[in-house]
Amino acid sequence: MVKDSYLQWLVKEIKTTWWHDSGDPDELQQALLHGATGVTTNPVLISKTLHSSPEKWNHLLKDIKKDLSSQEQAEFLVSVVVKNAAKMFKPEYERTSGKLGYVCAQVNPAIARDTEAMISMARRFHSWAPNIAVKFPVTAAGLDALEECASEGITITATVSFTVPQVIAVAERFRKGKQRAQQAGKIPGQCFAVIMIGRLDDYLRDMANDSKANINESDIRQAGLAVTKRAYSIFKKHDYEATLVVAALRGTYHMEELTGAELIMSIHPKYQTLLLQPGIPRDPQRIDVSIDSEVINRLETIPEFVRAYEPEGMKPEEFVTYGAAQRTLTQFSQAGWMQLEEYRI
């Protein structure tokens, strides 16, 4: 009997599930074989699949209107990639009565401070397919857009998020939006609250190096894990309806240390390949193992870790100014959305 792959084991044997982190059709097909239950896309991933494999998309792009503005073109290209993934994962959505099978579609990163623009774009994205999860950045404006869209029954993914206070804010605002939807007689969608675990580690590593803090690489590799484990315990304590999604892995250790948690791991094909190699530990309840207190003490000498780790470490109006958020929004804009605006069809 063929033993299940590590990724198949996750889905079949424990509460942890996983999403595929790309929009490439061939990669999506492989992900489905190993039990992926959803898809993460963002402007960078969409730009990469279009530029690296244009032949896969030509038949879907041939009828594009020639008089589109650059913004309209970018949105159209997002729709092509996202709709294709949504079609591939619709059977999973239907099989689970809308619990699984979602595909993320991210709003333009350049409008991260514009609530009304994000809401308008979200409504368009929501119309593409029943299994679309519209991605908002976790800024103050993004939280306002999130609650409003939740009240309309739109499924949401909250991204550009790295910290405990951000995902708590997402869960609280979704709870309000869900209650508003129910009061209006609407069927609420779902909410997925992202922690970009590796991007937080990257940022804190730079902060530690710049300040010459007494922090080693082992400590840094546990920073995002500490934040995620704390966020997870808070979500369970408050019985939040939002589901945590851990994204931007930097190694198999991020996956291994969170097994057993009732959350979603968003895994890039690079790390899927590593996780499919023999010998990956299969601890069904690693989520319950706490980060060593001495590691936490050392990490707390970095003010930016404290802001990420403490539930009240930041207020919503500070989210957009957090260094990791600024880095990510800039990358998503310059290496993603702007590339889609300039794409030659």
Side-chain angles (χ1 to χ4, degrees):
M1 186 178 200
V2 178
K3 187 177 182 181
D4 287 337
S5 71
Y6 180 88
L7 296 173
Q8 290 168 330
W9 168 75
L10 284 180
V11 177
K12 290 183 180 180
E13 302 296 335
I14 60 177
K15 295 179 180 179
T16 311
T17 58
W18 72 281
W19 284 359
H20 178 77
D21 196 1
S22 108
D24 181 272
D26 294 338
E27 293 175 349
L28 288 170
Q29 194 60 54
Q30 281 298 114
L32 280 166
L33 293 175
H34 288 280
T37 61
V39 182
T40 293
T41 75
N42 61 44
V44 175
L45 291 173
I46 289 174
S47 178
K48 282 183 176 179
T49 190
L50 289 170
H51 281 91
S52 64
S53 306
E55 70 284 354
K56 296 178 183 179
W57 303 103
N58 287 339
H59 68 291
L60 295 173
L61 301 180
K62 60 183 177 62
D63 295 328
I64 186 173
K65 296 179 181 179
K66 302 302 181 183
D67 58 347
L68 296 180
S69 67
S70 59
Q71 161 67 27
E72 290 170 334
Q73 173 178 293
E75 189 170 318
F76 174 80
L77 294 173
V78 170
S79 77
V80 168
V81 176
V82 168
K83 286 179 181 179
N84 182 71
K87 182 178 180 180
M88 294 178 71
F89 276 75
K90 190 175 180 181
E92 181 72 5
Y93 174 82
E94 293 175 338
R95 183 186 69 82
T96 61
S97 300
K99 182 180 179 182
L100 305 174
Y102 286 93
V103 178
C104 295
Q106 186 167 339
V107 301
N108 184 350
I111 60 174
R113 297 173 186 260
D114 189 335
T115 299
E116 293 305 317
M118 285 189 278
I119 293 172
S120 178
M121 184 171 283
R123 289 170 179 154
R124 295 195 297 274
F125 287 9
H126 175 65
S127 71
W128 292 344
N131 54 329
I132 300 295
V134 181
K135 290 178 87 170
F136 294 107
V138 185
T139 60
L143 289 169
D144 289 341
L146 183 155
E147 181 183 332
E148 177 59 31
C149 286
S151 77
E152 297 179 13
I154 295 173
T155 290
I156 299 147
T157 299
T159 189
V160 192
S161 177
F162 319 85
T163 71
V164 173
Q166 283 180 293
V167 292
I168 290 175
V170 168
E172 291 287 350
R173 295 298 290 272
F174 175 66
R175 178 167 283 179
K176 291 180 180 179
K178 182 177 181 180
Q179 290 171 348
R180 287 172 54 193
Q182 292 169 331
Q183 290 166 0
K186 297 179 180 178
I187 299 174
Q190 295 196 54
C191 179
F192 305 102
V194 172
I195 294 178
M196 305 183 90
I197 193 169
R199 286 178 179 265
L200 176 62
D201 289 355
D202 296 345
Y203 175 60
L204 294 176
R205 182 182 295 108
D206 287 346
M207 294 298 99
N209 289 339
D210 189 58
S211 64
K212 297 181 172 57
N214 185 28
I215 305 290
N216 59 42
E217 180 59 21
S218 176
D219 294 336
I220 292 296
R221 284 163 61 103
Q222 296 179 79
L225 288 168
V227 165
T228 301
K229 288 181 181 243
R230 188 166 202 186
Y232 183 71
S233 68
I234 292 170
F235 268 50
K236 300 303 283 187
K237 177 181 178 181
H238 293 280
D239 198 24
Y240 283 135
E241 297 91 341
T243 300
L244 284 174
V245 178
V246 179
L249 278 62
R250 293 295 182 264
T252 61
Y253 61 93
H254 276 146
M255 177 72 255
E256 294 168 38
E257 291 298 321
L258 297 172
T259 53
E262 195 170 351
L263 51 69
I264 297 165
M265 303 295 296
S266 181
I267 310 175
H268 188 274
K270 173 182 177 180
Y271 297 110
Q272 291 175 37
T273 299
L274 295 176
L275 288 166
L276 291 173
Q277 299 302 310
I280 301 295
R282 299 191 180 192
D283 185 337
Q285 210 56 39
R286 191 68 186 173
I287 184 63
D288 293 334
V289 179
S290 301
I291 302 300
D292 188 277
S293 60
E294 292 186 4
V295 173
I296 299 295
N297 289 339
R298 288 193 294 272
L299 287 169
E300 285 180 333
T301 64
I302 307 173
E304 293 296 86
F305 173 77
V306 176
R307 296 177 75 196
Y309 185 69
E310 293 298 330
E312 298 182 1
M314 283 188 286
K315 297 178 181 179
E317 57 267 26
E318 298 176 274
F319 294 163
V320 75
T321 65
Y322 191 63
Q326 283 292 303
R327 284 183 173 187
T328 303
L329 285 169
T330 298
Q331 184 200 18
F332 282 176
S333 182
Q334 294 182 353
W337 198 271
M338 290 172 66
Q339 297 300 312
L340 296 175
E341 290 182 337
E342 298 169 2
Y343 187 77
R344 293 290 176 261
I345 300 172

